[in-house]
Amino acid sequence: MIQALQAVRGMNDILPDEAEAWEHFEDIVRDWLRSYGYRPIRMPIVEPTPLFKRAIGEVTDIVEKEMYSFEDALNGEQLTLRPEGTASCVRAAIQHKMLSAGAQRLYYHGPMFRHERPQKGRYRQFHQIGVEALGFDGPDIDAEHILMCARLWDDLGLEDVRLELNSLGSSDERARHRAELVAYLEGHRERLDDDGKRRLHTNPLRILDTKNPELQDLVDNAPKLLDFLGEDSLKHFNGVQVLLKDAGVPYRINHRLVRGLDYYNRTVFEWVTTRLGAQGTVCAGGRYDGLVEQLGGRPAPAAGFAMGIERLLALWRESGGEAEPAQPDVYVVHLGEQAQRLAFRAAEALRGHGFAVLTHCGGGSFKSQMKKADASGAPVAVVIGDDEAATGEVGLKPLRGPGGQQRVALDGLANAVAECLFTENEEEDGSL
């Protein structure tokens, strides 16, 4: 017996019932993004490896441990399955000179790849919705992104999602803070774990984000970046806070919030929850003003955020969210060769009028077909046998309400179906 193959660990199939929930969720998200004037962009899943090394930073967990990188056997090019979307989006904007037409509000969604230990809410192939605003330099766009998220949580009915906020300042301010931070951590070197010692002189900010409980008091007492911010950075950060307070969005300043990617500066934020266990971050982002120039473009400010679809769906369901299963308007039942031909004509005619129609395939008796029609959830069945086929008529039978089967001419079928559906909807609404 041939051994059956299975999906790669941590890369999951999304089966029809689940996929319908995803599509319903994505429809909500697309409407939300359009309401803020964001336009879609789609980038390749595979990118040159140097793109992520340059953008994310070589001394990060993503680049050091998690990227799916390989050599193209056909031409020797070093390639990587994208671990995040911002670098790809900025690369596309530079390559196609999009900023020459002015500032851009963009969004994308799709799979990302990181070689992590699979667990609930964290997979090796995961899906993100990303939002990027390129060419905007004020605190207003930072606040817009945060307010966008707050509105989406409200649209989805999410509960227990809170905002954490920080500022990473400018590169010069981070450099001054870094010197003080390294000196402080050097004084406690014996307490650092292996990751902390490795990052001490390469990426000390990431030590502040440690999950090691034995280091919590150490990082709590470390020098705070906020104390090193200059006038411009403080003005920008205060501007964000004023707009959030005006909108009534509560937040907590988290001095340890640094984000895991090197390209961030100034405003950074995370939306977190206690409902998903250890994987508590559902959305994160901030400003990355240097990335466009870093990737070869003309200097341009930028900000953005990303959210994990798997985690958001889990949180949505935890909060009572549910997608209605897709159901056809009409199920077409037929028996006999001439009936089958008329069934296909009738189904196509109904689809031409905008109805969702499921035509029975695979044969079977009228009784077995009617059972499948009922199980489909369709409110109406079109029934065609040899008698109907001979006269060019069809039977129309309500499946969910009162009323018996009636015969209808093919050219009047669409109106008859519409009348049946309209009557049923009125009965469900209690308006009859």
Side-chain angles (χ1 to χ4, degrees), residues 139-156:
D140 48 0
I141 201 70
D142 305 18
E144 176 177 278
H145 284 172
I146 294 169
L147 295 179
M148 285 174 68
C149 294
R151 181 163 298 281
L152 181 61
W153 311 153
D154 187 60
D155 290 348
L156 294 171

Side-chain angles (χ1 to χ4, degrees), residues 325-332 358 369-381 399-400:
Q327 294 175 334
D329 298 315
V330 181
Y331 194 102
V332 181
L358 186 56
Q369 289 188 47
M370 289 303 294
K371 284 184 178 179
K372 291 185 177 180
D374 187 59
S376 74
V380 177
L399 296 174
R400 302 285 175 253

Side-chain angles (χ1 to χ4, degrees), residues 97 148 243 256 323 374:
K97 300 180 173 58
M148 285 174 68
L243 293 171
R256 293 170 52 184
D374 187 59

Side-chain angles (χ1 to χ4, degrees), residues 159-331:
E159 302 172 356
D160 188 27
V161 183
R162 68 182 188 278
L163 173 63
E164 297 193 341
L165 194 65
N166 197 18
S167 175
L168 301 183
S170 67
S171 57
D172 289 342
E173 291 155 359
R174 285 196 304 279
R176 291 196 296 273
H177 170 254
R178 175 192 171 111
E180 293 287 336
L181 179 61
V182 169
Y184 168 80
L185 294 172
E186 280 281 15
H188 300 275
R189 186 183 182 90
E190 73 285 352
R191 291 193 54 193
L192 296 178
D193 56 18
D194 291 341
D195 268 351
K197 290 173 182 175
R198 181 173 57 84
R199 288 171 166 159
L200 182 56
H201 292 286
T202 56
N203 197 350
L205 268 182
R206 294 292 290 128
I207 300 176
L208 299 180
D209 197 32
T210 180
K211 302 301 187 290
N212 186 340
E214 296 180 3
L215 297 181
Q216 299 309 304
D217 65 320
L218 178 65
V219 296
D220 283 342
N221 294 314
K224 294 176 174 55
L225 183 49
L226 207 59
D227 295 334
F228 291 80
L229 299 187
E231 183 179 349
D232 288 346
S233 292
L234 282 172
K235 182 179 178 181
H236 187 101
F237 193 44
N238 289 333
V240 175
Q241 294 179 70
V242 166
L243 293 171
L244 296 182
K245 289 173 182 175
D246 286 348
V249 175
Y251 62 89
R252 179 179 79 92
I253 294 179
N254 179 359
H255 296 287
R256 293 170 52 184
L257 177 57
V258 297
R259 306 295 300 121
L261 309 176
D262 280 0
Y263 50 63
Y264 283 108
N265 71 307
R266 288 196 171 176
T267 310
V268 290
F269 65 88
E270 288 188 357
W271 290 91
V272 298
T273 181
T274 59
R275 289 178 175 252
L276 297 179
Q279 306 308 316
T281 301
V282 295
C283 175
R287 181 162 284 280
Y288 51 93
D289 293 327
L291 185 58
V292 176
E293 183 178 17
Q294 190 176 327
L295 294 181
R298 299 180 63 179
F305 63 90
M307 56 186 72
I309 296 179
E310 286 89 347
R311 294 186 193 179
L312 271 180
L313 279 171
L315 188 59
W316 181 49
R317 289 191 173 113
E318 177 78 15
S319 301
E322 188 176 358
E324 297 242 345
Q327 294 175 334
D329 298 315
V330 181
Y331 194 102

Side-chain angles (χ1 to χ4, degrees), residues 99 102-104 133-138 287 292 300-303:
L99 286 170
Q104 301 285 325
L134 309 179
F136 299 90
D137 61 1
R287 181 162 284 280
V292 176

Side-chain angles (χ1 to χ4, degrees), residues 13 60 96 103 145 169 174-175 188 259 276 290 297 323 326 336 338 382 384:
D13 299 308
T60 58
H96 301 287
H145 284 172
R174 285 196 304 279
H188 300 275
R259 306 295 300 121
L276 297 179
Q338 294 305 312
V382 168
I384 307 174

